[in-house]
Amino acid sequence: MQTVVDLSRLRHNIRLIRAATGNGFCAVVKADAYGHGAAVARYIEPLADCFFTATFDEAAELAYMGVRKPVLVLGGEISPFLRKVEPTIVPTACDAAQLGALLDAGYTNFSIAVNTGMNRLGADEKKLGEMIDVCKMRNVAPTTVYSHIYNGISSALGQAEEFERLTRCRLLRRNRHLYSSCALDIGGDLFDMTRCGIAMYGYAKELSPCMKVRAKIVALNAVKRGEHVGYGDNVLERDSMIATVRCGYADGFRRCDKPLYMKVRGVKCRVIGVPCMDVTMIDVTDVHCRVGEFAYIIADGEDAEYLAKCYGTIIYEVLTGFNGRAERIYM
């Protein structure tokens, strides 16, 4: 299987987002850049002020591949940061103990996460006060201060007011960022920086999805009506040409009880039965195709949205699912 990333679309999306928000831009590349591959960071670095990852290992991967812009890391476990200090990596502290440990380890750049209602990670008002005391005592200030929107537009206004209240201390009013891709639907004061993920990859209005997912047809079989295809009791209702595609649930094309399809030469070809671990069979009776050409699991945003609907999930989960055996191609 291959994931093919159109870098020109990715860059264009970033330019449109920056024009719309009018503030700094933090490119979210955690979870292997939402399935697009962490290497995209190298190609978009001139357009980003910084990057955002979930773990030290993800941040270190960017540093090792030559990314020089700051790489912010989501808060939580800090022990990996204490073993090695990378100058471009900016860890997050969620309480005074974590902040003290990071400072003792030699970090001069760090973020402070603020809890504005998500109750996942971040300091409440009491913990924030303790962190301010540590900063004053150690004569340091955070590189960035941030929080997370938990329910899009519906929670954004209340959280923004809480974020403003909690960060009114002058020491915390440095490079604040609260909004993610939902910033495109909000407008107004968006603080100092927008932390953008799914919209950057094209899943927002007026933006273009920049990744296609495809796999090769490895066999074509003429199968008679009444014969079985694949596991289980899948019996054909007509004479059919069945294509075997080198992509299965181990590659991220999941089993489900909804009708799935792949596109061959732009035509939707239904999946026969369910995906196997390594291959999937599709009906190409009405398409003139050959062994060696591609069937597209995702050719456009409509395909990704349909998969999410079939799986009963969100596009984020669909995109990040294609991160195992896929060959990544950047163009």
Side-chain angles (χ1 to χ4, degrees):
M1 191 179 74
Q2 297 177 341
T3 55
V4 183
V5 180
D6 187 330
L7 295 169
S8 63
R9 282 191 177 188
L10 182 59
R11 295 187 187 103
H12 185 60
N13 288 341
I14 294 172
R15 292 187 182 101
L16 291 177
I17 293 167
R18 295 202 69 142
T21 60
N23 60 1
F25 184 82
C26 178
V28 180
V29 292
K30 63 190 177 88
D32 222 7
Y34 290 33
H36 296 66
V40 299
R42 292 184 300 174
Y43 300 105
I44 63 174
E45 186 170 8
L47 299 175
D49 296 300
C50 59
F51 296 94
F52 193 79
T53 65
T55 68
F56 175 85
D57 287 343
E58 288 180 339
E61 182 181 1
L62 266 59
Y64 296 157
M65 70 174 62
V67 169
R68 290 294 171 259
K69 292 284 181 68
V71 182
L72 282 55
V73 186
L74 182 67
E77 175 60 49
I78 67 164
S79 58
F81 300 92
L82 306 182
R83 293 191 290 267
K84 184 176 182 180
V85 176
E86 288 283 350
T88 59
I89 294 179
V90 183
T92 292
C94 297
D95 58 40
Q98 288 187 342
L99 177 56
L102 291 170
L103 294 175
D104 289 343
Y107 280 94
T108 56
N109 292 316
F110 60 92
S111 295
I112 287 179
V114 180
N115 181 14
T116 57
M118 190 173 192
N119 294 308
R120 182 178 67 176
L121 292 169
D124 58 19
E125 190 166 8
K126 180 178 181 295
K127 290 180 179 178
L128 202 55
E130 294 170 350
M131 296 173 80
I132 291 171
D133 291 341
V134 171
C135 287
K136 290 179 178 178
M137 183 175 63
R138 303 285 289 265
N139 194 28
V140 296
T143 305
T144 76
V145 179
Y146 70 90
S147 187
H148 280 81
I149 296 292
Y150 62 83
N151 200 24
I153 296 176
S154 62
S155 70
L157 180 59
Q159 287 190 261
E161 291 175 351
E162 180 70 354
F163 188 53
E164 177 66 33
R165 184 184 74 82
L166 291 172
T167 60
R168 63 178 179 266
C169 170
R170 184 177 179 182
L171 187 144
L172 299 179
R173 300 179 73 83
R174 299 183 60 189
N175 205 5
R176 294 180 298 168
H177 46 112
L178 170 68
Y179 295 106
S180 55
S181 294
C182 67
L184 298 176
D185 299 316
I186 294 173
D189 181 11
L190 299 174
F191 298 100
D192 303 304
M193 185 165 63
T194 298
R195 204 173 54 243
C196 206
I198 198 70
M200 179 175 76
Y201 301 112
Y203 291 90
K205 61 183 180 181
E206 299 180 8
L207 298 174
S208 302
C210 54
M211 183 175 76
K212 299 180 186 295
V213 181
R214 66 191 187 184
K216 281 188 177 182
I217 295 172
V218 295
L220 288 169
N221 295 296
V223 184
K224 296 292 185 180
R225 175 175 176 240
E227 292 189 15
H228 292 78
V229 174
Y231 292 115
D233 195 22
N234 304 300
V235 178
L236 294 182
E237 297 179 353
R238 65 169 183 172
D239 293 350
S240 304
M241 183 62 67
I242 303 299
T244 301
V245 182
R246 182 63 77 186
C247 172
Y249 60 79
D251 302 289
F253 191 51
R254 292 162 44 186
R255 297 160 58 97
C256 72
D257 58 1
K258 301 293 191 301
L260 298 173
Y261 67 81
M262 296 184 191
K263 286 180 179 174
V264 179
R265 300 192 179 190
V267 177
K268 292 181 179 179
C269 301
R270 70 185 181 93
V271 170
I272 304 299
V274 293
C276 306
M277 183 182 289
D278 309 302
V279 296
T280 300
M281 279 69 78
I282 60 175
D283 188 339
V284 294
T285 306
D286 301 321
V287 183
H288 296 291
C289 59
R290 300 186 300 270
V291 170
E293 68 178 279
F294 288 105
Y296 284 81
I297 297 95
I298 296 179
D300 51 40
E302 175 191 355
D303 299 333
E305 290 168 2
Y306 180 76
L307 279 178
K309 182 179 179 181
C310 287
Y311 296 158
T313 188
I314 54 177
I315 286 178
Y316 299 75
E317 187 174 351
V318 172
L319 297 179
T320 56
F322 299 112
N323 63 0
R325 299 186 293 193
E327 173 192 7
R328 288 196 175 86
I329 298 173
Y330 298 104
M331 55 180 292

